[in-house]
Amino acid sequence: MLFVFAVIVAALVLFATEALPVDVTAIAVMVALMLAEPVTVFAADAGLLAEPVYVLHQAGDGISPLDRGLSGFASTATITVLAMFILSDGVQRTGIVQILGAKIASLTGDSETKQLGATVGLVAPISGFINNTAAVAILLPMVTDIAHKGKLSPSKLLLPLSYASMFGGMLTLIGTSTNILASQLSAELIGHPFSMFEFTQLGIIVTVIGTVYLLTVGRYLIPSRIPAEEDLTEEFEMGEYLTEVVVREDSPLIGQTVEEALRVSEFDVDIVQLVREKRTFLEPFGQKAIRAGDVFAVRTGRDTLVDLLDVEGLDVIPEVEVDDAELETATERKNLVEVVVAPGSSLIGETLVSTNFRQRYDATVLALRHGQELYRQRMDHVKLRIGDTLLVQATPDSIDRLNRNNDFIVAQEVERPDFRQSKIPVAIGIVAAVVGVAALTPIHIVISALGGALAMVLTGCLRPPELYDAVQWDVVFLLAGVIPLGVALQETGGADLLAELFVMGAGSILTAGGGLAVVLGLMYLVTALLTNIISNNASVVLMIPVAIETAQQLNANAFAFVLAVTFAASTAFMTPVGYQTNLLVYGPGGYRFTDYLKVGAPLQAVFAVATTLGIAYFWGLAPA
C-alpha cells in the first residue's frame, strides 16, 4: 500500500508540474507497478527484503500481475475512446461543424449576447456526440472570427467555448473519454456500467445552468485579454518589432544568400519578406542572393536594430508602418495567421529551433503567446505547449499545409476545399447508428464504436491512412497507463484506507446534522479540486474506488457516488491544466492562470450544488 501511495504522489507531482508529458508519466506509473513484484521477489530471495511487494495482485490468487499491469491496453474504455476519436474525425472531415458554425456566425452580428449564445449553444450539444476536445479544436477558428468581425475580444468567447464543451460532454456516455473510463470502472467494481443516456437528464440541467451562468455572471468576470483588433500585428503588439530596411550599396550582405545571412548573423532577427523590383517574396526565399536595393521586412527589437544597421550595411525605411496591410501585399489571399499548437502535436516539448520550423513549414514565426506571456524576441528556444499561439507569416500554400496538419489549428477560418461534404449524411448516420445500437441493443459500446470506425472507412468518410492521424495517442496511452493504478489502489487496500479517512471526515458532517447529500457534495468537491491539478482521467481512476468504498462504509448508494466523481472529473473549470480544452484556449485567449480561478470557481461551486441535488433526486442516496 505504501509503495502504491508513493507512486501516486510521484504521479501527482509529475501530472501537476508537467515535468513529463502526461502520457509518459502514465506509462512510467504502469512500468513501476509491474516492476514492483519481480524486483522485490529478487530482493527477498537475496535476503534484502523480508517478503516481496505485491501491488497488482494478492499472492497466490492465480492472476498474472503482467496481465493486470497491461490491462489498460486491453480495456474496453481505451479501445472505445480510440474508436470515438476516429468517429469524431470522420464527422470533422465532412465540414458539417464548420457549415453549422458559419450559418450561426452569420446571425450574430456585433451583439456580444448573440455571439456568446451562439458559441455556447453550438459547442454544448455537439460535444455530447463527438469528443469535446475535437469540438473545441474545430470551432476555435470560427469563434475567433466571430469575435474579430463583431469587434469583440476573443477572450470573451474562448473560455465559454471550453467550459460549454465540458458540460456539453456530460450529455451522453460518449461525450468525453472520462465518461467512458468511469463507466468501465463502475461496471468492474459495482456491476453498473453507464448506458448511453444514463445521466442525460442531469447533463441537460447542468448545461442549462452553465449556459445561464456564462450569459450573466460569467460574461462580466471574463476579462478582455486580447484586443478586439482585426490587425494581428496590433493584437500581438508587434509595432516595436517589425521594421522595413533597405540594403545599401556598401553592405557586406550583398552576394550572400538569405539563408547564409541568417545563419551567420549574431543578432536575434528574422526576415519576414523580401521586396525586390516591386515583387514581394515570402518563404521559401532562403536561396535568393541579396542585392543592393533589396527591401526586407524584419522582426527584431529596437536595440538590436541599431546594431544591425551599423554592422550589416542596412538603412531603415522610417515612413513605412509594417502592419497587416503591408505584410499582405504579397498576395490577394491571407498570409498572416494565428496558429495554435494542437493536443497531441509532435511539437509539444520541442522548440522552433529543434523542429526546424522555418524550413520545415516554409513559414516565419513573428511572435509566440502562451497564456499572458508574449514572446517577440528570443523565442527560438521556448518549449512549445498545448494551446501556444504562433503569429505566422507564410504563403497561402504553406498556410493551407499548416491547416491540414494535425499538429496545428489555424485560428482563423481558412477555406478548406478538401471537405467531403457529400459524405455529411453518411457520417451523421454512422454516429447515429453507433449511439442507437449502444443505447437500444445489448451490443456493448466498444463493439458499436469499432463498427462505426470501420464504417467510416468503408463508406469513404475517412481514408485508411487517416485513421492513425485521427487518434489522440497521448490520451490513449494516458488511459492505458493509469488504469493499472486503480487496480493497484484497490488490490492493496489503499482505496479502503482513503475511504476510511474520508468517512472519518464525513462523520463529523453527519453528526452535525448534515445528510448524505452533503457528504456526496464533499466527494464532488474533492474530485473537482484533484481534477483541476492533474488529468481528469487520472482523477477518475483514483477517486472512483474511494467513492465506492466510502458509499459502502456509509451504507449509501455507491452508483450515486460514482456519478458525483464522474461529473466532477469532467468539469474542471478552475485551472488551465485541469482539462485539455482549457489549455487549448489558453494561448489564443491570452488568459492568465488566475482568470480560470476567478471565472471557474463560482461555476464549480454552482455545479457542486446542482450536481449533488440532481443525483440525489434522480438516483437517490439510499443503497440500491
Side-chain angles (χ1 to χ4, degrees), residues 220-355:
Y220 297 108
L221 294 177
I222 299 171
S224 299
R225 297 294 181 199
I226 301 295
E229 302 284 353
E230 290 195 51
D231 190 315
L232 289 174
T233 58
E234 292 183 24
E235 181 180 314
F236 280 81
E237 303 171 22
M238 295 299 297
E240 295 294 314
Y241 297 88
L242 288 176
T243 312
E244 283 200 346
V245 296
V246 60
V247 181
R248 296 200 308 260
E249 295 282 351
D250 60 348
S251 173
L253 296 175
I254 294 174
Q256 296 183 38
T257 65
V258 173
E259 185 177 346
E260 289 171 344
L262 286 173
R263 187 169 59 245
V264 302
S265 174
E266 61 189 54
F267 302 111
D268 178 27
V269 60
D270 270 319
I271 296 177
V272 179
Q273 68 182 23
L274 161 64
V275 180
R276 175 181 292 168
E277 297 173 353
K278 297 184 179 180
R279 291 186 62 195
T280 303
F281 300 93
L282 302 178
E283 284 283 2
F285 48 59
Q287 298 307 310
K288 291 190 179 296
I290 298 174
R291 303 177 188 174
D294 281 351
V295 175
F296 291 108
V298 297
R299 178 209 56 81
T300 190
R302 290 300 183 193
D303 294 339
T304 304
L305 179 62
V306 172
D307 296 333
L308 188 68
L309 296 176
D310 290 341
V311 175
E312 304 292 1
L314 304 170
D315 287 330
V316 69
I317 305 178
E319 67 273 14
V320 175
E321 179 184 352
V322 183
D323 56 10
D324 276 20
E326 181 71 18
L327 293 178
E328 304 250 350
T329 56
T331 174
E332 294 180 357
R333 290 173 59 193
K334 180 174 283 293
N335 53 48
L336 190 67
V337 294
E338 289 178 275
V339 173
V340 182
V341 178
S345 170
S346 62
L347 276 71
I348 295 171
E350 300 289 341
T351 67
L352 297 177
V353 170
S354 67
T355 57

Side-chain angles (χ1 to χ4, degrees), residues 553-564:
Q553 291 186 31
L554 292 173
N555 194 31
N557 182 0
F559 186 69
F561 278 71
V562 168
L563 286 176

Side-chain angles (χ1 to χ4, degrees), residues 391-443:
L391 177 60
V392 170
Q393 166 83 344
T395 63
D397 288 342
S398 294
I399 291 172
D400 286 342
R401 288 196 297 274
L402 288 171
N403 196 37
R404 289 191 294 268
N405 191 323
N406 287 340
D407 286 339
F408 307 104
I409 303 164
V410 175
Q412 290 89 39
E413 289 287 0
V414 177
E415 185 178 351
R416 285 286 300 268
D418 57 336
F419 281 140
R420 297 157 195 164
Q421 295 187 14
S422 63
K423 300 293 183 181
I424 288 175
V426 178
I428 293 176
I430 291 172
V431 173
V434 168
V435 171
V437 168
L440 303 174
T441 75
I443 296 175

Side-chain angles (χ1 to χ4, degrees), residues 23-77:
D23 51 330
V24 176
T25 297
I27 296 301
V29 166
M30 180 185 73
V31 171
L33 294 174
M34 290 194 296
L35 281 175
E37 182 173 341
V39 169
T40 56
V41 165
F42 177 80
D45 290 344
L48 301 175
L49 285 176
E51 60 182 26
V53 174
Y54 298 101
V55 296
L56 289 174
H57 76 293
Q58 297 299 320
D61 71 355
I63 300 175
S64 165
L66 183 63
D67 288 342
R68 282 190 170 164
L70 296 174
S71 61
F73 286 103
S75 162
T76 56

